[in-house]
Amino acid sequence: MTHHHHAAPVRPPYAGTRYPRLAGIPAFTEFIASGWDDVPVRPTMPAGTSEAAAAHRSRLSAAMPGQTLVVASGSAPIRNDDAAYGFRADSNFVWLSGCQVEDAVLVMWAVPGGHDAVLYLPRPFRPGDAGFFSNAMHGELWVGPSAGLPEWSDALSITVEPLEALDARHNELRGALAARSAAHLAGGLDAVASPELERTMSRLRMVKDEWEITQLRAAVDATVDGFAAVVAEVPRAIRDGLGERWLQGTFDRHARTFGNGPGYSTIVGSGAHAPILHWVRCDGPVLPHAALLLDMGVEAHSLYTADVTRTVPATGTFSTAQRAVHDLVEKAHRAGLDQIRPGTPYLDFHFAAMEVVAQGLHDWGLLPVSVDEALSPAGQHHRRYLACGIGHHLGLDVHDCSQAQYEDYMGADLEPGVVMTVEPGLYFHAHDLTLPPELRGIGVRLEDDVLVTGSGSDVLSAALPIDADGVEAWTRAHLGPTS
Ligand code: GLY
Ligand code: MN
Ligand code: MN
């Protein structure tokens, strides 16, 4: 009789360690250090990235002469042990460098007549480096090959030096201005965290150049496709009880496949969830006869993001009450859009839309005061049903340029190249006792991404209709099969 038995595993005495420490085994480290083909990796980025970044650096250089400026890409927060959250480079860093490498630092050294920009990058953990196999977060054996410093320099037409070269120049950074992303470096660098640099970056980033507008158009176009992909899944989400999560996941998969990912947490709110402004939990069902609010944006590979909302009837037809709310929001939306042109005060779209909202709510008997009293600064009763802002600048960040001063943002006039959202809505909460029962639990938002042109505006998200008939027709055309 033959006995098959497994030999007991060999157990060397790795006393005091959780794992065999490979890095401490000379025979192993010597063996793994060699025998690897050296294949250069080129960075990939949208065409025109390096030229756009160079132009952005010129604008910052002109705005802040004589100051050495430090902007870092940042690093991903640790989730546990050696598992990190996904990394997304700092927007100011991306705007100035076109680079998305983690733990990188851009220094714009003040020199006579301007600035010399140097991009300091961590060296990849290539074969031959101990980190190649021992660093689970950055070693190429773990995370895949990444472009080397010469390849980055070539792709971005910028001087690139290894990060450790910055250590040797720390004393030269005394008094340099650091953006928030570099704040954790600032102590070691002797640089000064600079609200002035943040404000200036926000102001400069507010007017988009042609390349940035191309990126934003691409983000919006991919988002429109994503809306179609989501609406195609609505019948399945209803039929199989997969709920809002399935639709959220559908959009996020689309965004991750055709861009860098969602530009913000995707909002999918069915029925009573639609009036909940940041309904990102998305753990409810998709109800067949409810309005479905979809606030979704693809962040392109360049990291420019769209931010679009439509409220669609889940089975293709609005109820009378849903349609009435949609009509009023559409009217406010059009009033807002009408104000978007160069030379108009930024906030005019807000006031125009709010007038329509207040009048409409008053006509429905929902305001306890007159329209004028509601619209007065000391009133604002209509905002009970619209407690959020109804627009913002859009770019690398969904709420772009948020560090700008009042006079550069809220108090500024629109100029060509500004990209912003217009997004009025009405949010009738399910438990709002001021509302007639038929309005409770209806939330509608219409959000478009709008470019200020030389003569007026261009609605980048115009491929999605904003009128109730158009929304119904578009929805019916894209709903997937019900069985
Ligand atoms: N989705 C965020 C916003 O609309 O501002
Ligand atoms: Mn928005
Ligand atoms: Mn939005």
Side-chain angles (χ1 to χ4, degrees), residues 31-64:
F31 183 52
I32 201 171
S34 64
W36 305 94
D37 199 2
D38 188 7
V39 182
V41 176
R42 311 221 142 262
T44 55
M45 59 190 73
T49 299
S50 77
E51 293 84 354
H56 298 162
R57 289 195 296 278
S58 296
R59 291 178 62 203
L60 180 61
S61 177
M64 300 190 74

PDB file of all heavy atoms in Angstrom, residues 31-64:
ATOM      1  N   PHE A  31      20.786  37.479  -6.818  1.00  0.00           N
ATOM      2  CA  PHE A  31      20.174  36.775  -7.953  1.00  0.00           C
ATOM      3  C   PHE A  31      19.103  37.642  -8.633  1.00  0.00           C
ATOM      4  O   PHE A  31      19.039  37.737  -9.861  1.00  0.00           O
ATOM      5  CB  PHE A  31      19.559  35.456  -7.470  1.00  0.00           C
ATOM      6  CG  PHE A  31      18.965  34.637  -8.587  1.00  0.00           C
ATOM      7  CD1 PHE A  31      19.711  34.337  -9.734  1.00  0.00           C
ATOM      8  CD2 PHE A  31      17.658  34.163  -8.508  1.00  0.00           C
ATOM      9  CE1 PHE A  31      19.164  33.573 -10.759  1.00  0.00           C
ATOM     10  CE2 PHE A  31      17.100  33.412  -9.533  1.00  0.00           C
ATOM     11  CZ  PHE A  31      17.864  33.117 -10.658  1.00  0.00           C
ATOM     12  N   ILE A  32      18.287  38.316  -7.822  1.00  0.00           N
ATOM     13  CA  ILE A  32      17.167  39.072  -8.416  1.00  0.00           C
ATOM     14  C   ILE A  32      17.619  40.413  -8.994  1.00  0.00           C
ATOM     15  O   ILE A  32      16.881  41.061  -9.739  1.00  0.00           O
ATOM     16  CB  ILE A  32      16.022  39.280  -7.385  1.00  0.00           C
ATOM     17  CG1 ILE A  32      14.699  39.575  -8.117  1.00  0.00           C
ATOM     18  CG2 ILE A  32      16.359  40.362  -6.369  1.00  0.00           C
ATOM     19  CD1 ILE A  32      13.469  39.601  -7.249  1.00  0.00           C
ATOM     20  N   ALA A  33      18.842  40.813  -8.677  1.00  0.00           N
ATOM     21  CA  ALA A  33      19.308  42.130  -9.132  1.00  0.00           C
ATOM     22  C   ALA A  33      19.614  42.157 -10.618  1.00  0.00           C
ATOM     23  O   ALA A  33      19.629  43.219 -11.232  1.00  0.00           O
ATOM     24  CB  ALA A  33      20.548  42.553  -8.342  1.00  0.00           C
ATOM     25  N   SER A  34      19.859  41.025 -11.207  1.00  0.00           N
ATOM     26  CA  SER A  34      20.298  41.049 -12.606  1.00  0.00           C
ATOM     27  C   SER A  34      19.463  40.101 -13.442  1.00  0.00           C
ATOM     28  O   SER A  34      18.647  39.338 -12.926  1.00  0.00           O
ATOM     29  CB  SER A  34      21.783  40.672 -12.695  1.00  0.00           C
ATOM     30  OG  SER A  34      21.951  39.339 -12.247  1.00  0.00           O
ATOM     31  N   GLY A  35      19.679  40.190 -14.743  1.00  0.00           N
ATOM     32  CA  GLY A  35      18.972  39.307 -15.666  1.00  0.00           C
ATOM     33  C   GLY A  35      17.669  39.885 -16.167  1.00  0.00           C
ATOM     34  O   GLY A  35      16.782  39.144 -16.589  1.00  0.00           O
ATOM     35  N   TRP A  36      17.512  41.205 -16.087  1.00  0.00           N
ATOM     36  CA  TRP A  36      16.281  41.855 -16.551  1.00  0.00           C
ATOM     37  C   TRP A  36      16.593  42.686 -17.788  1.00  0.00           C
ATOM     38  O   TRP A  36      17.551  43.433 -17.811  1.00  0.00           O
ATOM     39  CB  TRP A  36      15.708  42.777 -15.466  1.00  0.00           C
ATOM     40  CG  TRP A  36      15.473  42.096 -14.157  1.00  0.00           C
ATOM     41  CD1 TRP A  36      16.318  42.031 -13.099  1.00  0.00           C
ATOM     42  CD2 TRP A  36      14.300  41.377 -13.768  1.00  0.00           C
ATOM     43  NE1 TRP A  36      15.777  41.319 -12.065  1.00  0.00           N
ATOM     44  CE2 TRP A  36      14.517  40.916 -12.456  1.00  0.00           C
ATOM     45  CE3 TRP A  36      13.083  41.086 -14.392  1.00  0.00           C
ATOM     46  CZ2 TRP A  36      13.576  40.166 -11.756  1.00  0.00           C
ATOM     47  CZ3 TRP A  36      12.145  40.350 -13.695  1.00  0.00           C
ATOM     48  CH2 TRP A  36      12.390  39.897 -12.395  1.00  0.00           C
ATOM     49  N   ASP A  37      15.753  42.568 -18.765  1.00  0.00           N
ATOM     50  CA  ASP A  37      15.913  43.412 -19.943  1.00  0.00           C
ATOM     51  C   ASP A  37      15.572  44.849 -19.557  1.00  0.00           C
ATOM     52  O   ASP A  37      14.664  45.080 -18.752  1.00  0.00           O
ATOM     53  CB  ASP A  37      14.971  42.929 -21.055  1.00  0.00           C
ATOM     54  CG  ASP A  37      15.389  43.438 -22.428  1.00  0.00           C
ATOM     55  OD1 ASP A  37      16.432  44.140 -22.512  1.00  0.00           O
ATOM     56  OD2 ASP A  37      14.679  43.126 -23.398  1.00  0.00           O
ATOM     57  N   ASP A  38      16.289  45.800 -20.109  1.00  0.00           N
ATOM     58  CA  ASP A  38      16.064  47.208 -19.780  1.00  0.00           C
ATOM     59  C   ASP A  38      15.241  47.842 -20.896  1.00  0.00           C
ATOM     60  O   ASP A  38      15.764  48.193 -21.939  1.00  0.00           O
ATOM     61  CB  ASP A  38      17.408  47.929 -19.613  1.00  0.00           C
ATOM     62  CG  ASP A  38      17.227  49.336 -19.075  1.00  0.00           C
ATOM     63  OD1 ASP A  38      16.075  49.694 -18.720  1.00  0.00           O
ATOM     64  OD2 ASP A  38      18.223  50.074 -19.009  1.00  0.00           O
ATOM     65  N   VAL A  39      13.937  47.925 -20.664  1.00  0.00           N
ATOM     66  CA  VAL A  39      13.031  48.429 -21.697  1.00  0.00           C
ATOM     67  C   VAL A  39      12.544  49.810 -21.275  1.00  0.00           C
ATOM     68  O   VAL A  39      11.842  49.937 -20.271  1.00  0.00           O
ATOM     69  CB  VAL A  39      11.817  47.485 -21.883  1.00  0.00           C
ATOM     70  CG1 VAL A  39      10.905  47.974 -22.996  1.00  0.00           C
ATOM     71  CG2 VAL A  39      12.302  46.069 -22.159  1.00  0.00           C
ATOM     72  N   PRO A  40      12.911  50.854 -21.995  1.00  0.00           N
ATOM     73  CA  PRO A  40      12.464  52.192 -21.590  1.00  0.00           C
ATOM     74  C   PRO A  40      10.953  52.341 -21.721  1.00  0.00           C
ATOM     75  O   PRO A  40      10.336  51.764 -22.618  1.00  0.00           O
ATOM     76  CB  PRO A  40      13.193  53.149 -22.542  1.00  0.00           C
ATOM     77  CG  PRO A  40      13.739  52.307 -23.636  1.00  0.00           C
ATOM     78  CD  PRO A  40      13.713  50.866 -23.222  1.00  0.00           C
ATOM     79  N   VAL A  41      10.376  53.094 -20.800  1.00  0.00           N
ATOM     80  CA  VAL A  41       8.933  53.336 -20.805  1.00  0.00           C
ATOM     81  C   VAL A  41       8.707  54.820 -21.086  1.00  0.00           C
ATOM     82  O   VAL A  41       9.316  55.674 -20.442  1.00  0.00           O
ATOM     83  CB  VAL A  41       8.313  52.963 -19.448  1.00  0.00           C
ATOM     84  CG1 VAL A  41       6.833  53.309 -19.417  1.00  0.00           C
ATOM     85  CG2 VAL A  41       8.528  51.486 -19.151  1.00  0.00           C
ATOM     86  N   ARG A  42       7.872  55.102 -22.055  1.00  0.00           N
ATOM     87  CA  ARG A  42       7.561  56.505 -22.373  1.00  0.00           C
ATOM     88  C   ARG A  42       6.287  56.907 -21.648  1.00  0.00           C
ATOM     89  O   ARG A  42       5.316  56.149 -21.628  1.00  0.00           O
ATOM     90  CB  ARG A  42       7.335  56.699 -23.874  1.00  0.00           C
ATOM     91  CG  ARG A  42       8.388  56.094 -24.727  1.00  0.00           C
ATOM     92  CD  ARG A  42       8.774  56.997 -25.910  1.00  0.00           C
ATOM     93  NE  ARG A  42      10.211  56.889 -26.133  1.00  0.00           N
ATOM     94  CZ  ARG A  42      11.116  57.759 -25.681  1.00  0.00           C
ATOM     95  NH1 ARG A  42      10.727  58.851 -25.052  1.00  0.00           N
ATOM     96  NH2 ARG A  42      12.405  57.560 -25.869  1.00  0.00           N
ATOM     97  N   PRO A  43       6.271  58.098 -21.092  1.00  0.00           N
ATOM     98  CA  PRO A  43       5.018  58.575 -20.496  1.00  0.00           C
ATOM     99  C   PRO A  43       3.965  58.768 -21.585  1.00  0.00           C
ATOM    100  O   PRO A  43       4.321  59.150 -22.702  1.00  0.00           O
ATOM    101  CB  PRO A  43       5.383  59.930 -19.888  1.00  0.00           C
ATOM    102  CG  PRO A  43       6.852  60.075 -20.020  1.00  0.00           C
ATOM    103  CD  PRO A  43       7.334  59.113 -21.039  1.00  0.00           C
ATOM    104  N   THR A  44       2.729  58.483 -21.265  1.00  0.00           N
ATOM    105  CA  THR A  44       1.662  58.763 -22.231  1.00  0.00           C
ATOM    106  C   THR A  44       0.818  59.914 -21.692  1.00  0.00           C
ATOM    107  O   THR A  44       0.534  59.980 -20.502  1.00  0.00           O
ATOM    108  CB  THR A  44       0.756  57.546 -22.458  1.00  0.00           C
ATOM    109  OG1 THR A  44       0.266  57.113 -21.192  1.00  0.00           O
ATOM    110  CG2 THR A  44       1.509  56.404 -23.112  1.00  0.00           C
ATOM    111  N   MET A  45       0.463  60.800 -22.582  1.00  0.00           N
ATOM    112  CA  MET A  45      -0.353  61.954 -22.194  1.00  0.00           C
ATOM    113  C   MET A  45      -1.008  62.505 -23.446  1.00  0.00           C
ATOM    114  O   MET A  45      -0.528  62.264 -24.554  1.00  0.00           O
ATOM    115  CB  MET A  45       0.511  63.009 -21.517  1.00  0.00           C
ATOM    116  CG  MET A  45       1.643  63.507 -22.386  1.00  0.00           C
ATOM    117  SD  MET A  45       2.802  64.516 -21.458  1.00  0.00           S
ATOM    118  CE  MET A  45       3.631  63.274 -20.468  1.00  0.00           C
ATOM    119  N   PRO A  46      -2.116  63.230 -23.277  1.00  0.00           N
ATOM    120  CA  PRO A  46      -2.773  63.792 -24.453  1.00  0.00           C
ATOM    121  C   PRO A  46      -1.837  64.734 -25.215  1.00  0.00           C
ATOM    122  O   PRO A  46      -1.006  65.417 -24.607  1.00  0.00           O
ATOM    123  CB  PRO A  46      -3.966  64.561 -23.868  1.00  0.00           C
ATOM    124  CG  PRO A  46      -4.189  63.984 -22.523  1.00  0.00           C
ATOM    125  CD  PRO A  46      -2.849  63.522 -22.032  1.00  0.00           C
ATOM    126  N   ALA A  47      -1.977  64.764 -26.534  1.00  0.00           N
ATOM    127  CA  ALA A  47      -1.160  65.654 -27.355  1.00  0.00           C
ATOM    128  C   ALA A  47      -1.309  67.090 -26.867  1.00  0.00           C
ATOM    129  O   ALA A  47      -2.400  67.518 -26.498  1.00  0.00           O
ATOM    130  CB  ALA A  47      -1.598  65.546 -28.814  1.00  0.00           C
ATOM    131  N   GLY A  48      -0.209  67.797 -26.846  1.00  0.00           N
ATOM    132  CA  GLY A  48      -0.256  69.215 -26.459  1.00  0.00           C
ATOM    133  C   GLY A  48      -0.081  69.464 -24.975  1.00  0.00           C
ATOM    134  O   GLY A  48      -0.049  70.619 -24.543  1.00  0.00           O
ATOM    135  N   THR A  49       0.068  68.393 -24.198  1.00  0.00           N
ATOM    136  CA  THR A  49       0.183  68.557 -22.745  1.00  0.00           C
ATOM    137  C   THR A  49       1.388  69.421 -22.362  1.00  0.00           C
ATOM    138  O   THR A  49       1.270  70.364 -21.568  1.00  0.00           O
ATOM    139  CB  THR A  49       0.303  67.179 -22.060  1.00  0.00           C
ATOM    140  OG1 THR A  49      -0.863  66.411 -22.344  1.00  0.00           O
ATOM    141  CG2 THR A  49       0.447  67.326 -20.563  1.00  0.00           C
ATOM    142  N   SER A  50       2.543  69.117 -22.938  1.00  0.00           N
ATOM    143  CA  SER A  50       3.750  69.818 -22.480  1.00  0.00           C
ATOM    144  C   SER A  50       3.710  71.288 -22.891  1.00  0.00           C
ATOM    145  O   SER A  50       4.124  72.163 -22.123  1.00  0.00           O
ATOM    146  CB  SER A  50       5.010  69.121 -23.002  1.00  0.00           C
ATOM    147  OG  SER A  50       5.244  69.422 -24.358  1.00  0.00           O
ATOM    148  N   GLU A  51       3.184  71.590 -24.091  1.00  0.00           N
ATOM    149  CA  GLU A  51       3.090  72.987 -24.531  1.00  0.00           C
ATOM    150  C   GLU A  51       2.129  73.766 -23.633  1.00  0.00           C
ATOM    151  O   GLU A  51       2.390  74.920 -23.260  1.00  0.00           O
ATOM    152  CB  GLU A  51       2.621  73.064 -25.980  1.00  0.00           C
ATOM    153  CG  GLU A  51       3.613  72.519 -27.002  1.00  0.00           C
ATOM    154  CD  GLU A  51       3.529  70.995 -27.179  1.00  0.00           C
ATOM    155  OE1 GLU A  51       2.776  70.333 -26.420  1.00  0.00           O
ATOM    156  OE2 GLU A  51       4.226  70.468 -28.061  1.00  0.00           O
ATOM    157  N   ALA A  52       1.007  73.127 -23.284  1.00  0.00           N
ATOM    158  CA  ALA A  52       0.036  73.809 -22.415  1.00  0.00           C
ATOM    159  C   ALA A  52       0.659  74.092 -21.053  1.00  0.00           C
ATOM    160  O   ALA A  52       0.533  75.204 -20.516  1.00  0.00           O
ATOM    161  CB  ALA A  52      -1.225  72.959 -22.268  1.00  0.00           C
ATOM    162  N   ALA A  53       1.361  73.107 -20.503  1.00  0.00           N
ATOM    163  CA  ALA A  53       1.962  73.296 -19.179  1.00  0.00           C
ATOM    164  C   ALA A  53       3.011  74.408 -19.222  1.00  0.00           C
ATOM    165  O   ALA A  53       3.104  75.229 -18.294  1.00  0.00           O
ATOM    166  CB  ALA A  53       2.574  71.984 -18.689  1.00  0.00           C
ATOM    167  N   ALA A  54       3.799  74.438 -20.295  1.00  0.00           N
ATOM    168  CA  ALA A  54       4.822  75.489 -20.415  1.00  0.00           C
ATOM    169  C   ALA A  54       4.167  76.872 -20.462  1.00  0.00           C
ATOM    170  O   ALA A  54       4.644  77.829 -19.837  1.00  0.00           O
ATOM    171  CB  ALA A  54       5.673  75.249 -21.662  1.00  0.00           C
ATOM    172  N   ALA A  55       3.065  76.967 -21.190  1.00  0.00           N
ATOM    173  CA  ALA A  55       2.361  78.256 -21.261  1.00  0.00           C
ATOM    174  C   ALA A  55       1.810  78.645 -19.886  1.00  0.00           C
ATOM    175  O   ALA A  55       1.834  79.819 -19.500  1.00  0.00           O
ATOM    176  CB  ALA A  55       1.230  78.176 -22.287  1.00  0.00           C
ATOM    177  N   HIS A  56       1.334  77.647 -19.137  1.00  0.00           N
ATOM    178  CA  HIS A  56       0.819  77.941 -17.794  1.00  0.00           C
ATOM    179  C   HIS A  56       1.944  78.426 -16.879  1.00  0.00           C
ATOM    180  O   HIS A  56       1.764  79.362 -16.095  1.00  0.00           O
ATOM    181  CB  HIS A  56       0.146  76.689 -17.206  1.00  0.00           C
ATOM    182  CG  HIS A  56      -1.034  76.229 -18.016  1.00  0.00           C
ATOM    183  ND1 HIS A  56      -1.559  74.961 -17.907  1.00  0.00           N
ATOM    184  CD2 HIS A  56      -1.775  76.866 -18.960  1.00  0.00           C
ATOM    185  CE1 HIS A  56      -2.587  74.837 -18.744  1.00  0.00           C
ATOM    186  NE2 HIS A  56      -2.724  75.971 -19.397  1.00  0.00           N
ATOM    187  N   ARG A  57       3.107  77.802 -17.002  1.00  0.00           N
ATOM    188  CA  ARG A  57       4.247  78.255 -16.183  1.00  0.00           C
ATOM    189  C   ARG A  57       4.618  79.695 -16.524  1.00  0.00           C
ATOM    190  O   ARG A  57       4.953  80.476 -15.627  1.00  0.00           O
ATOM    191  CB  ARG A  57       5.451  77.326 -16.381  1.00  0.00           C
ATOM    192  CG  ARG A  57       5.294  75.958 -15.755  1.00  0.00           C
ATOM    193  CD  ARG A  57       6.619  75.218 -15.658  1.00  0.00           C
ATOM    194  NE  ARG A  57       7.234  74.909 -16.936  1.00  0.00           N
ATOM    195  CZ  ARG A  57       6.925  73.857 -17.716  1.00  0.00           C
ATOM    196  NH1 ARG A  57       5.984  73.010 -17.330  1.00  0.00           N
ATOM    197  NH2 ARG A  57       7.561  73.653 -18.847  1.00  0.00           N
ATOM    198  N   SER A  58       4.546  80.036 -17.799  1.00  0.00           N
ATOM    199  CA  SER A  58       4.869  81.426 -18.190  1.00  0.00           C
ATOM    200  C   SER A  58       3.903  82.405 -17.542  1.00  0.00           C
ATOM    201  O   SER A  58       4.301  83.477 -17.087  1.00  0.00           O
ATOM    202  CB  SER A  58       4.778  81.593 -19.704  1.00  0.00           C
ATOM    203  OG  SER A  58       5.743  80.801 -20.330  1.00  0.00           O
ATOM    204  N   ARG A  59       2.627  82.011 -17.502  1.00  0.00           N
ATOM    205  CA  ARG A  59       1.644  82.918 -16.907  1.00  0.00           C
ATOM    206  C   ARG A  59       1.889  83.079 -15.408  1.00  0.00           C
ATOM    207  O   ARG A  59       1.792  84.188 -14.873  1.00  0.00           O
ATOM    208  CB  ARG A  59       0.222  82.398 -17.159  1.00  0.00           C
ATOM    209  CG  ARG A  59      -0.197  82.480 -18.638  1.00  0.00           C
ATOM    210  CD  ARG A  59      -1.585  81.903 -18.861  1.00  0.00           C
ATOM    211  NE  ARG A  59      -2.595  82.644 -18.118  1.00  0.00           N
ATOM    212  CZ  ARG A  59      -3.780  82.143 -17.761  1.00  0.00           C
ATOM    213  NH1 ARG A  59      -4.103  80.893 -18.071  1.00  0.00           N
ATOM    214  NH2 ARG A  59      -4.631  82.870 -17.085  1.00  0.00           N
ATOM    215  N   LEU A  60       2.207  81.986 -14.738  1.00  0.00           N
ATOM    216  CA  LEU A  60       2.482  82.088 -13.301  1.00  0.00           C
ATOM    217  C   LEU A  60       3.760  82.889 -13.056  1.00  0.00           C
ATOM    218  O   LEU A  60       3.831  83.713 -12.137  1.00  0.00           O
ATOM    219  CB  LEU A  60       2.587  80.692 -12.674  1.00  0.00           C
ATOM    220  CG  LEU A  60       2.881  80.689 -11.171  1.00  0.00           C
ATOM    221  CD1 LEU A  60       1.768  81.399 -10.383  1.00  0.00           C
ATOM    222  CD2 LEU A  60       3.057  79.263 -10.646  1.00  0.00           C
ATOM    223  N   SER A  61       4.761  82.650 -13.898  1.00  0.00           N
ATOM    224  CA  SER A  61       6.027  83.366 -13.757  1.00  0.00           C
ATOM    225  C   SER A  61       5.800  84.869 -13.858  1.00  0.00           C
ATOM    226  O   SER A  61       6.335  85.652 -13.061  1.00  0.00           O
ATOM    227  CB  SER A  61       7.002  82.890 -14.846  1.00  0.00           C
ATOM    228  OG  SER A  61       8.209  83.614 -14.781  1.00  0.00           O
ATOM    229  N   ALA A  62       4.978  85.274 -14.831  1.00  0.00           N
ATOM    230  CA  ALA A  62       4.708  86.704 -15.012  1.00  0.00           C
ATOM    231  C   ALA A  62       3.911  87.268 -13.842  1.00  0.00           C
ATOM    232  O   ALA A  62       4.077  88.434 -13.476  1.00  0.00           O
ATOM    233  CB  ALA A  62       3.948  86.918 -16.320  1.00  0.00           C
ATOM    234  N   ALA A  63       3.055  86.412 -13.240  1.00  0.00           N
ATOM    235  CA  ALA A  63       2.201  86.897 -12.149  1.00  0.00           C
ATOM    236  C   ALA A  63       2.955  87.001 -10.824  1.00  0.00           C
ATOM    237  O   ALA A  63       2.561  87.777  -9.951  1.00  0.00           O
ATOM    238  CB  ALA A  63       0.991  85.979 -11.984  1.00  0.00           C
ATOM    239  N   MET A  64       4.005  86.215 -10.670  1.00  0.00           N
ATOM    240  CA  MET A  64       4.720  86.206  -9.388  1.00  0.00           C
ATOM    241  C   MET A  64       6.229  86.321  -9.609  1.00  0.00           C
ATOM    242  O   MET A  64       6.997  85.415  -9.259  1.00  0.00           O
ATOM    243  CB  MET A  64       4.358  84.939  -8.594  1.00  0.00           C
ATOM    244  CG  MET A  64       2.862  84.848  -8.307  1.00  0.00           C
ATOM    245  SD  MET A  64       2.403  83.546  -7.148  1.00  0.00           S
ATOM    246  CE  MET A  64       2.974  84.257  -5.599  1.00  0.00           C
TER     247      MET A  64
END
